[in-house]
Amino acid sequence: MMGLTFYIAAAIAVIATVMVITRYNIMHALLYLVVSLLAVAVVLYLYGAPFIAALEVIVYAGAIMVLLIFFVMMLNLGKESAIQEQQWLKPRIWIFPSLLCLVLLGELVFLISQNHQPPSAIKVVDPKAVGMALFGPYMAAVELTGILLMAGIVGAYHLGRQKEKTLHRFLEN
Amino acid sequence: MNIHPTTAGMLLAGILFVLGLISILVRRDIIFMLLSVEVMLNAAGLAFVVASAHWGRADGQVMFIFILAMAAAEVSVGLALILQLYHQLKTLDSDEAAKMNG
Amino acid sequence: MLPALIPIIPFISAFLLMLGWKRLSRIATAVLGCGSIGLAALVAVIIAIQFAGNAEQAVVQHATNWVLAGTFQAGIDFRLDALSVVFVLVITAVGFLIHIYAAGYMHDDPDYARFFACMNLFVGAMLTLVMADNLLLLYFGWEGVGLCSYLLIGFWYKDPANGYAARKAFIVTRVGDTAMAIGLFMLFQYAGTLNIPDILGKSPQLWTTGAPVVTIIALLLLGGAVGKSAQLPLQTWLPDAMAGPTPVSALIHAATMVTAGVYLVARMHVLFELAPLAETITAVIGAITLVLAGFSALVQTDIKRVLAYSTISQIGYMFLALGCGAWSAAIFHFVTHAFFKALLFMAAGAVIVALHHEQRLAKMGGLRKLLPGVYWVFLIGCASLAAIPFVTAGFYSKDQIIWLSLSATHGHVALWLAALLGALLTGMYTFRMFFLVFYGEAKTAMHHRPGKSMMIPLYILAVLSTIAGFVELPHTMGHVTLFSNWLHPVLPEVTVTNDSNAMEWASQAMSALLAIGGIGLAYAWVLLRPKGMSDFLEMPAIDWLRKYWARGWDFDYVYNILLVHPYIHLSRMNRKDLVDKLYTGLATLMQWCHNVLARTQSGLLRWYIMAVVLGAVAVLSVLIWRIYI
């Protein structure tokens, strides 16, 4: 039963991601990405991580993507940027990087398929265990993550501020 | 089809990762590049969770949480940078920001 | 009082002058330049007085270690013994007088400080040379004086001819220095040390008399001495070295540096005693040089070149004495020569300045009335150089050499005859110059009289040129041996085979008569000019001979043909330097790599990501290949 659900979710995720990378309009791409993330959340749930699946929906699809969407709206990118995108994305541009990445994918598939572990059932890890690990052995990493987020806030505030254009003193005059 | 669940999850993660990589390589619009980075980060997180399920241990999920936090910080700073770029150069073309060439 | 102070004071002063350069006023420069040498002279006198109380014992001061490599040790060690005390006193005293003279002579030169810096550096290096306790330090001083000689010959570097003369002096002496360096290597190879007392003590046990090794070493050291002292066959640089300022010619190219070869041979006398062949060659070189240079001096047209050839000739006498084993006679002649040759050069410098930098003898004349002071000191110098009997220092020193070249064990009648011929020539060329300068009609207008700072050193040297001879009188006239007694702890006494008073009288009479005869000939040649003599001089063969001698026996021509032109030809052939191609090729390769790598830094974000992806593909490929294939 898990098999079928997984394949459907995986197919949606892959197709949605392909749509993301082929869209010219940034808004469409973002919406497809939300779909893809939701599909991945299903996969995560199937892999015995309900708490992580919830986080995926809330933080990724909910918070980060909405941030991006609002940002794009703020920049007010319209048809022109889509046309521009269309002009940039020529086969001449994308054919070689894509082939290279497919080679990489082939290698990854080969390596993953060499898995000689005996088949075993998926083990469910409940959120309590995650919480115990997070605030037990990973305490220091959690604190560092807190500092990272703080740095992100300060950095975003500092960089995002609209400053009057000041030239370096060597570039003046 | 009788694929081992861990293998299947890993393959999905690999495919998503490579799709994000293709996108970051072929796009010139810097917002698309940021988007592709999100796809790749998500794929990496998925791989961690699959591994966590395989071993029945919490560590993989802990890593996913860290990745999530990191992605949040990265997006906020990245968007601020894009904003500055847009104000400075009046474009989102990453090739325009090529002044630091050798 | 520390012996090391003597060379260090001039070095410090040279350093200060180099630092001061254009900031110091002229007065400060002169005071610093002359004062340091005066101070060194004072210290030298005090140390010499202390030393004289116990002259048997050499004073060695170990300043610091210099080179320590395996069994090889060379320290900066200064040694004072009877021989180096003589040299130190002469160098500091004459050097001091010449510095004072130079303060007046160079007064209008824009590069006053550079001049005194080089001169002080020279005195320091020369003192290091004569006070060194090991041959490596001696070699350091040896090269140091060579460098200063180069700098000072080319002092007026704006004239390319001066630069050429400086290069010539440097390169020609380098030939000798290379021989000397090889000699030092061999000494270390066989004796295991470069410490002078050790070598002198060890060598009689190491080698038997006439052993090939010691002969080769002695000849190589002689090569260095010959180069520095401008003896045959490396004498060609000294006449050209007169391009430098006159005080330089007086100090470096007459009084001190050119006698470094004499010092070296005297210092290493044990080796030469073990190698009779080398001694004979020394004597023969000296004899031939003194005669050839005497003939050349006879026909020079430039007053400084006359004195230059005369210097070569007089150093030839010293080498002759060294070759005969008459060590102290050579050093004695060095002392008197330092006095009267410095006197002559500086007096000539006074004449040159008075005549507005005119050096040609043909343009001089009639200066007896105009420059009476210079006239008298020049006369005293000429008399001493020509060895006028009884009253001059030059007589006693030169006469001793002439007599010992016959009577000493290594002496020979041919050497004696050459020395006598040299005496005749000396009298002739000296007084030819003297008569040409001071008698006859004046041909050039007077410029200005030399000042006090130029004349006082001349008077002092004139006195020294007269009385310095009385410290050593021959058997036949009082038999005073103060000088050879002083040197006795360092240099062995000469062994005389033919010790008869009558013979000595005869030799002295002959040399005196020849010297006076030479003066007479010069008088006839320059001033009387009898009819027969003019005709004789105008014969084509004589005229050709005159020109041939004036060119210095065409040594330059021969060296040009044999050495210089082939070398220039070879370097032309290798103009594009084959070896250099390798290195420029390497540089070009690096440049190319730089360009290629710089192009990868395009600033394009996607390009960098592509590189990362390529790297990932490569790493995974290697992984797969290593594990599964």
Side-chain angles (χ1 to χ4, degrees):
Chain A
M1 191 57 226
M2 128 108 200
L4 188 62
T5 324
F6 171 77
Y7 288 124
I8 293 169
I12 293 171
V14 171
I15 291 164
T17 310
V18 170
M19 295 305 276
V20 169
I21 68 172
T22 51
R23 290 310 89 191
Y24 301 128
N25 191 319
I26 182 83
M27 222 46 162
H28 299 173
L30 276 168
L31 291 174
Y32 274 114
L33 184 56
V34 172
V35 173
S36 164
L37 289 173
L38 290 175
V40 169
V42 172
V43 172
L44 289 171
Y45 179 79
L46 289 175
Y47 275 87
F51 177 55
I52 298 300
L55 276 184
E56 172 96 0
V57 174
I58 296 166
V59 180
Y60 249 124
I64 298 178
M65 283 308 120
V66 170
L67 177 64
L68 271 166
I69 289 167
F70 274 108
F71 178 77
V72 171
M73 285 162 69
M74 195 179 76
L75 285 185
N76 201 14
L77 298 169
K79 253 202 165 62
E80 285 166 31
S81 76
I83 294 165
Q84 178 75 22
E85 202 61 34
Q86 200 166 2
Q87 283 169 349
W88 280 342
L89 266 187
K90 296 240 171 68
R92 196 166 55 82
I93 302 288
W94 58 255
I95 209 102
F96 176 71
S98 305
L99 284 176
L100 189 70
C101 289
L102 288 178
V103 170
L104 190 64
L105 182 63
E107 287 179 339
L108 282 175
V109 168
F110 176 76
L111 280 172
I112 292 165
S113 61
Q114 297 296 314
N115 182 14
H116 300 301
Q117 296 284 336
S120 60
I122 303 270
K123 301 185 185 73
V124 177
V125 180
D126 58 345
K128 187 186 172 197
V130 176
M132 294 301 283
L134 205 55
F135 292 95
Y138 289 101
M139 195 62 211
V142 171
E143 287 174 359
L144 285 174
T145 311
I147 294 171
L148 177 71
L149 286 170
M150 185 70 196
I153 292 166
V154 174
Y157 170 72
H158 178 74
L159 288 169
R161 217 167 23 158
Q162 285 281 4
K163 283 171 287 193
E164 68 270 39
K165 206 169 179 178
T166 48
L167 284 167
H168 192 270
R169 61 197 157 89
F170 290 155
L171 293 174
E172 278 170 4
N173 78 42
Chain B
M1 285 219 290
N2 193 12
I3 303 176
H4 190 275
T6 308
T7 310
M10 283 294 177
L11 282 176
L12 177 62
I15 291 165
L16 290 178
F17 184 86
V18 170
L19 285 172
L21 197 58
I22 292 172
S23 174
I24 205 172
L25 280 175
V26 301
R27 294 285 186 172
R28 276 173 77 172
D29 190 325
I30 201 154
I31 300 180
F32 271 104
M33 294 172 92
L34 196 65
L35 217 60
S36 313
V37 171
E38 293 304 316
V39 172
M40 287 160 74
L41 279 172
N42 191 42
L46 176 60
F48 270 112
V49 173
V50 170
S52 167
H54 180 78
W55 299 109
R57 290 179 61 100
D59 305 66
Q61 298 195 16
V62 170
M63 282 303 148
F64 187 92
I65 292 171
F66 289 148
I67 290 173
L68 204 66
M70 202 269 282
E74 178 253 328
V75 165
S76 58
V77 175
L79 287 178
L81 281 171
I82 292 169
L83 202 61
Q84 282 298 321
L85 186 80
Y86 191 68
H87 279 296
Q88 296 274 332
L89 301 177
K90 305 287 172 226
T91 177
L92 291 173
D93 185 1
S94 70
D95 288 7
E96 285 289 310
K99 279 182 188 161
M100 278 179 71
N101 56 354
Chain C
M1 196 79 79
L2 301 166
L5 273 181
I6 305 174
I8 284 171
I9 291 170
F11 275 134
I12 290 174
S13 147
F15 187 67
L16 289 178
L17 285 167
M18 282 176 210
L19 282 184
W21 204 250
K22 284 173 181 155
R23 288 181 207 93
L24 287 172
S25 69
R26 269 167 191 276
I27 305 252
T29 306
V31 166
L32 191 57
C34 302
S36 65
I37 308 299
L39 193 61
L42 194 68
V43 174
V45 168
I46 292 168
I47 290 177
I49 289 168
Q50 283 175 347
F51 176 78
N54 185 12
E56 297 289 320
Q57 190 67 40
V59 180
V60 178
Q61 191 197 355
H62 176 74
T64 176
N65 286 326
W66 184 18
V67 181
L68 295 173
T71 58
F72 177 70
Q73 291 195 353
I76 300 191
D77 301 336
F78 295 107
R79 177 188 182 79
L80 269 184
D81 57 15
L83 180 60
S84 44
V85 163
V86 170
F87 271 85
V88 166
L89 286 177
V90 170
I91 291 163
T92 51
V94 176
F96 179 52
L97 293 175
I98 294 176
H99 272 74
I100 291 176
Y101 172 86
Y105 186 88
M106 301 297 287
H107 191 261
D108 300 324
D109 199 277
D111 278 326
Y112 208 52
R114 179 161 65 91
F115 179 79
F116 275 105
C118 291
M119 289 285 272
N120 280 5
L121 191 65
F122 167 78
V123 173
M126 188 73 203
L127 289 169
T128 311
L129 197 170
V130 296
M131 289 177 69
D133 190 40
N134 57 61
L135 285 170
L136 195 65
L137 189 60
L138 187 149
Y139 196 72
F140 173 77
W142 189 274
E143 294 299 328
V145 294
L147 169 71
C148 296
S149 164
Y150 168 79
L151 292 174
L152 285 166
I153 294 170
F155 181 74
W156 288 312
Y157 55 88
K158 283 174 186 161
D159 183 354
N162 294 346
Y164 175 78
R167 283 201 300 282
K168 184 175 175 185
F170 198 71
I171 292 166
V172 172
T173 51
R174 198 78 22 236
V175 176
D177 293 356
T178 309
M180 180 175 162
I182 297 169
L184 297 191
F185 298 151
M186 284 186 70
L187 257 181
F188 178 67
Q189 175 79 21
Y190 287 96
T193 176
L194 286 181
N195 205 0
I196 291 168
D198 290 353
I199 291 171
L200 298 186
K202 262 189 195 175
S203 41
Q205 283 103 55
L206 278 173
W207 297 296
T208 54
T209 304
V213 173
V214 73
T215 308
I216 291 169
I217 291 174
L219 284 175
L220 287 168
L221 292 181
L222 178 65
V226 158
K228 201 56 117 193
S229 291
Q231 298 294 292
L232 215 69
L234 298 176
Q235 84 287 24
T236 55
W237 65 272
L238 190 57
D240 288 339
M242 295 302 125
T246 306
V248 172
S249 308
L251 178 62
I252 301 186
H253 304 115
T256 54
M257 186 193 84
V258 286
T259 52
V262 179
Y263 172 79
L264 179 71
V265 176
R267 185 47 96 191
M268 306 309 291
H269 62 93
V270 176
L271 295 181
F272 283 83
E273 279 167 350
L274 287 171
L277 178 66
E279 259 200 301
T280 311
I281 290 176
T282 312
V284 170
I285 285 177
I288 297 176
T289 308
L290 77 92
V291 173
L292 292 191
F295 277 117
S296 283
L298 211 49
V299 294
Q300 294 301 316
T301 54
D302 180 315
I303 186 169
K304 283 182 74 180
R305 285 179 84 91
V306 176
L307 291 170
Y309 275 108
S310 130
T311 304
I312 298 175
S313 173
Q314 297 305 309
I315 297 171
Y317 272 110
M318 297 177 211
F319 270 71
L320 174 62
L322 293 171
C324 294
W327 312 106
S328 77
I331 306 303
F332 187 36
H333 195 54
F334 150 73
V335 174
T336 57
H337 176 256
F339 292 146
F340 65 69
K341 191 50 67 66
L343 169 63
L344 279 173
F345 260 113
M346 297 204 292
V351 170
I352 290 166
V353 169
L355 296 183
H356 211 340
H357 290 279
E358 178 58 67
Q359 299 194 3
R360 282 167 296 178
L361 284 169
K363 298 280 180 188
M364 297 177 176
L367 291 174
R368 184 162 60 101
K369 293 270 159 51
L370 297 171
L371 293 170
V374 178
Y375 170 79
W376 282 110
V377 294
F378 206 90
L379 178 61
I380 290 169
C382 283
S384 201
L385 174 58
I388 304 292
F390 310 125
V391 292
T392 63
F395 172 70
Y396 295 104
S397 59
K398 196 191 280 185
D399 177 67
Q400 197 181 17
I401 292 175
I402 293 173
W403 166 235
L404 288 173
S405 69
L406 178 66
S407 65
T409 337
H410 296 290
H412 193 272
V413 78
L415 299 176
W416 181 65
L417 287 175
L420 285 179
L421 179 57
L424 175 71
L425 289 170
T426 311
M428 260 177 96
Y429 68 68
T430 309
F431 277 86
R432 167 178 171 268
M433 169 179 70
F434 179 72
F435 292 138
L436 280 172
V437 173
F438 288 101
Y439 289 87
E441 311 150 14
K443 294 171 187 113
T444 307
M446 274 275 286
H447 178 55
H448 70 76
R449 269 165 217 291
K452 266 204 186 106
S453 84
M454 287 167 74
M455 287 312 290
I456 288 168
L458 290 178
Y459 295 137
I460 296 171
L461 281 174
V463 172
L464 284 173
S465 300
T466 313
I467 62 165
F470 298 122
V471 295
E472 180 92 6
L473 299 179
H475 290 80
T476 46
M477 313 169 194
H479 194 59
V480 176
T481 56
L482 287 173
F483 193 79
S484 47
N485 285 351
W486 171 262
L487 284 176
H488 189 243
V490 184
L491 298 173
E493 218 160 314
V494 58
T495 48
V496 178
T497 49
N498 189 351
D499 194 10
S500 96
N501 268 357
M503 284 290 284
E504 192 169 352
W505 266 117
S507 168
Q508 280 159 356
M510 292 224 9
S511 65
L513 281 175
L514 282 169
I516 293 168
I519 296 168
L521 277 174
Y523 183 71
W525 178 17
V526 177
L527 296 178
L528 289 181
R529 297 205 76 97
K531 183 84 177 72
M533 193 152 186
S534 303
D535 291 345
F536 174 71
L537 286 175
E538 275 155 27
M539 274 161 61
I542 299 297
D543 195 51
W544 179 84
L545 205 57
R546 188 172 61 75
K547 284 178 183 150
Y548 179 60
W549 288 345
R551 291 194 304 265
W553 301 74
D554 273 346
F555 273 95
D556 279 333
Y557 179 73
V558 172
Y559 289 163
N560 276 343
I561 295 288
L562 284 183
L563 301 170
V564 178
H565 288 309
Y567 186 80
I568 289 175
H569 187 69
L570 276 177
S571 30
R572 286 242 170 82
M573 273 162 57
N574 194 20
R575 178 171 266 167
K576 287 190 179 145
D577 200 351
L578 288 173
V579 180
D580 208 35
K581 278 274 185 289
L582 193 64
Y583 300 104
T584 51
L586 203 61
T588 316
L589 182 69
M590 287 302 133
Q591 187 84 42
W592 184 79
C593 288
H594 159 78
N595 287 337
V596 169
L597 285 176
R599 214 174 292 168
T600 64
Q601 296 296 308
S602 56
L604 295 174
L605 201 53
R606 300 184 303 156
W607 180 258
Y608 298 155
I609 299 168
M610 184 68 106
V612 173
V613 174
L614 278 171
V617 170
V619 168
L620 283 181
S621 305
V622 170
L623 197 70
I624 292 169
W625 184 66
R626 292 289 297 166
I627 297 176
Y628 298 107
I629 299 170

